[in-house]
Amino acid sequence: MQTVRIGIAGFGTVGSAVFRHLQREAGLLFERCGVRLVVTAVAVRNPRRARCVPLPRSLLVGNPAQIAASDRTDIVVELMGGCTTARELILSALRHGKPVVTANKALLAEHGRRIFDESNRRGVPIFFEASVAGGIPIIKSLREGLVANRFRLIYGIVNGTCNYILTRMSQEGAAFDDMLKQAQALGYAEADPSFDIDGVDAAHKATVLASLAYGGCVDFRQVHVEGIRHVSGADVEFAHQLGYEIKLLAIIRSLDASRVEVRVHPTLIPKANRLASIGGVTNALVVRGDVVGDIEFSGPGAGGDATASAVLGDIVQAAAHLARSRETRACCDPSTATPWLCARGPRVVDIASVVSRFYLRLSVADRPGVMAQITSILGKARIGISSIIQPEGHQGKAVPLIFMIHDARHDAMFQAMERIRRLGCVKARPVMFRVETFES
Ligand code: HSE
C-alpha cells in the first residue's frame, strides 16, 4: 500500500476545509484512489490563533518554505494566496520534484509562464482546478473531457461575490455595500474584496481559462477589466424593463488562430439566457466547442467546502500520479503535463477593436433639443440606436435617458461618449455597459 504525504501551506477558509475533509474522508479517498493520503505538515501564519478546525501541534510549521524542502512531504498544497511567498513555495516544491496543488489564480495569471515552465522542465505536474469557479471541474473538463474541441467561445459568471451582490440587488433592491459585507462574512470574498468587485479576480480566472483553452500563457495585463462598483439600482431596474439581467461576465472569444478577446465587465444578457437565472454565489460557464457545441457548467463558485472539493480532486490526482511514477517514470498525460502552457499564447486584442451592443444611460436636462444633440453625435459616428426609453414621472432637473445601441466598435463608442459627456445638457458621467446575446 502506497502512502502519499501532504504538506498544506495556508489554513484559512479553504485550507482548513481541505484538512477537515482529508481527515474525515481518508477511508473513502483510499478506496477510490488506492493511495493512503496523510497530512504531515501545515504552515499557518499565526500558530497561536484559535481555530474552528483543530490542528495537532505536531503538524505545525512556521515557514511555508519548510513544506517544500521537508523530507516529510511528497505533495505541496498551496492555499495561502498572494504572489510572493506562494510563488517561491511552488517553484521550490517543483525543484524538489514534488507535485503541486494550488488554488491561486492570481499567481497563475500573473506568473503562470514561469511556473509552468519550471513544471515542464522538471516533469513535475501542477494542478489548479480550484483556481477557477470553485467547485466546478472546469479545468479538468477543458484538459480532459473536451480535449478534442477547439473553443470558439467561453463565457461565464466566475466571481461568486459579484454574482451574490448583483443577484440581491436585482431581486430585492438591496444596497451594494451591505451585500458586500455579507459576502465577506460568508467567506466568499477575497482577502482584499476590491479584487472581487473591481473584476480583478474574474480577470485572473479568465486568464487561466484562456491560457488553457488556446494553448499558451495569455498575458493578464492585456485583459480588459471593469468591475461592478458603477452598477446602480437604476441600471438593474432599466435592464429589467428592457428584458435583461446585469451579470459580471468573463468573456473569452477566439477570433482566429492567433487572436482572442479576453474581457471582464458588467454585461446585460437577455433574461432567456441560461446564465441570467444563475443566482447568489453560484458560478456558471458556457463553453462552445466545435465538436460538442454549447455545454454548460454550474455550481458553487466560492466558499471553503466548494473550493476544497476541487483541491481534494487535485490532491487525489497528484497522489495517483506520484504513485504511478514511483513504479514507472513514464508520464505524458494531458491531464498532468502542460507543455503547451509554456508556449507563447494567442494575442489578446485591444478592447478598442471589440464589437458589441451597448446599454447607455444618460442623465440629461429636460428641455427641447437634447435628444437631437445626442442622436446627432451617435449618427455622425455611424452608431445605430435600437431603442430609447425616457421614463414618465421623473423628478428633478435631470432626467434619465436610456439607449440600446446596435453593434458598434468600442473605440467609436468611447469617442462618441466623450463628445456626449461634454454637452451642456448632460448632467452626470454617462453609464455604459455591454450587451451580449451569445448567439452562434
Ligand atoms: N472571491 C472569489 C469569488 C472566491 O467570490 O468568487 C474564490 O475565487
Side-chain angles (χ1 to χ4, degrees), residues 140-181:
K140 285 186 177 43
S141 300
L142 292 179
R143 293 176 80 166
E144 299 173 40
L146 300 174
V147 70
N149 286 265
R150 289 179 192 277
F151 302 107
R152 294 180 178 145
L153 174 69
I154 299 174
Y155 67 95
I157 296 166
V158 292
N159 185 273
T161 300
C162 287
N163 204 50
Y164 179 81
I165 293 171
L166 291 173
T167 305
R168 305 264 324 249
M169 285 173 75
S170 168
Q171 291 177 351
E172 303 157 36
F176 180 91
D177 290 337
D178 296 344
M179 291 308 105
L180 175 58
K181 280 190 198 121

Side-chain angles (χ1 to χ4, degrees), residues 166 231-232 235-236 239 244-248 266-269 433:
L166 291 173
V231 178
S232 68
D235 295 313
V236 171
Y244 293 85
E245 285 289 347
I246 304 183
K247 295 289 186 187
L248 183 79
T267 313
L268 273 74
I269 51 173
F433 298 123

Side-chain angles (χ1 to χ4, degrees), residues 19-331:
F19 180 75
R20 185 163 45 84
H21 289 292
L22 273 173
Q23 307 295 61
R24 188 190 288 170
E25 297 297 357
L28 177 79
L29 293 170
F30 174 71
E31 267 172 38
R32 291 190 173 167
C33 72
V35 178
R36 207 164 69 89
L37 302 172
V38 184
V39 178
T40 49
V42 179
V44 295
R45 200 171 291 142
N46 178 2
R48 271 185 263 284
R49 211 180 97 189
R51 296 173 195 286
C52 313
V53 178
L55 187 56
R57 292 194 67 79
S58 58
L59 300 182
L60 285 180
V61 297
N63 181 354
Q66 286 171 258
I67 289 198
S70 164
D71 56 13
R72 285 197 295 150
T73 59
D74 303 310
I75 292 177
V76 172
V77 180
E78 184 279 305
L79 300 171
M80 296 181 296
C83 283
T84 314
T85 314
R87 178 177 186 269
E88 286 320 304
L89 171 69
I90 289 177
L91 290 174
S92 168
L94 296 171
R95 283 195 285 268
H96 281 88
K98 296 182 184 178
V100 169
V101 173
T102 180
N104 196 330
K105 58 260 167 179
L107 182 66
L108 296 178
E110 297 187 31
H111 303 272
R113 184 173 296 212
R114 172 77 187 89
I115 288 168
F116 291 121
D117 191 46
E118 191 70 32
S119 158
N120 282 298
R121 269 192 313 116
R122 308 247 169 207
V124 182
I126 173 161
F127 300 89
F128 47 96
E129 183 62 70
S131 64
V132 179
I136 303 174
I138 184 68
I139 303 286
K140 285 186 177 43
S141 300
L142 292 179
R143 293 176 80 166
E144 299 173 40
L146 300 174
V147 70
N149 286 265
R150 289 179 192 277
F151 302 107
R152 294 180 178 145
L153 174 69
I154 299 174
Y155 67 95
I157 296 166
V158 292
N159 185 273
T161 300
C162 287
N163 204 50
Y164 179 81
I165 293 171
L166 291 173
T167 305
R168 305 264 324 249
M169 285 173 75
S170 168
Q171 291 177 351
E172 303 157 36
F176 180 91
D177 290 337
D178 296 344
M179 291 308 105
L180 175 58
K181 280 190 198 121
Q182 282 215 17
Q184 286 178 283
L186 290 164
Y188 303 148
E190 296 301 297
D192 175 355
S194 65
F195 270 49
D196 295 296
I197 56 183
D198 292 331
V200 179
D201 174 77
H204 284 145
K205 293 167 179 167
T207 305
V208 173
L209 287 176
S211 300
L212 261 181
Y214 300 112
C217 270
V218 162
D219 186 349
F220 168 69
R221 291 163 304 178
Q222 295 177 343
V223 174
H224 178 81
V225 190
E226 281 170 43
I228 63 166
R229 282 185 204 261
H230 57 302
V231 178
S232 68
D235 295 313
V236 171
E237 201 40 54
F238 285 125
H240 284 176
Q241 284 180 32
L242 290 157
Y244 293 85
E245 285 289 347
I246 304 183
K247 295 289 186 187
L248 183 79
L249 293 190
I251 300 172
I252 303 158
R253 196 192 308 266
S254 145
L255 299 175
D256 54 39
S258 60
R259 294 178 314 139
V260 64
E261 285 175 14
V262 187
R263 48 194 168 104
V264 168
H265 48 67
T267 313
L268 273 74
I269 51 173
K271 282 188 178 160
N273 182 288
R274 48 188 103 196
L275 299 198
S277 56
I278 298 291
V281 76
T282 305
N283 280 196
L285 286 139
V286 175
V287 175
R288 184 167 295 165
D290 63 343
V291 183
V292 72
D294 278 13
I295 182 164
E296 184 190 338
F297 301 81
S298 64
D305 284 343
T307 313
S309 167
V311 172
L312 290 161
D314 277 355
I315 291 176
V316 167
Q317 206 178 355
H321 165 86
L322 206 56
R324 249 194 340 268
S325 62
R326 281 172 182 165
E327 286 159 12
T328 156
R329 292 304 304 159
C331 168

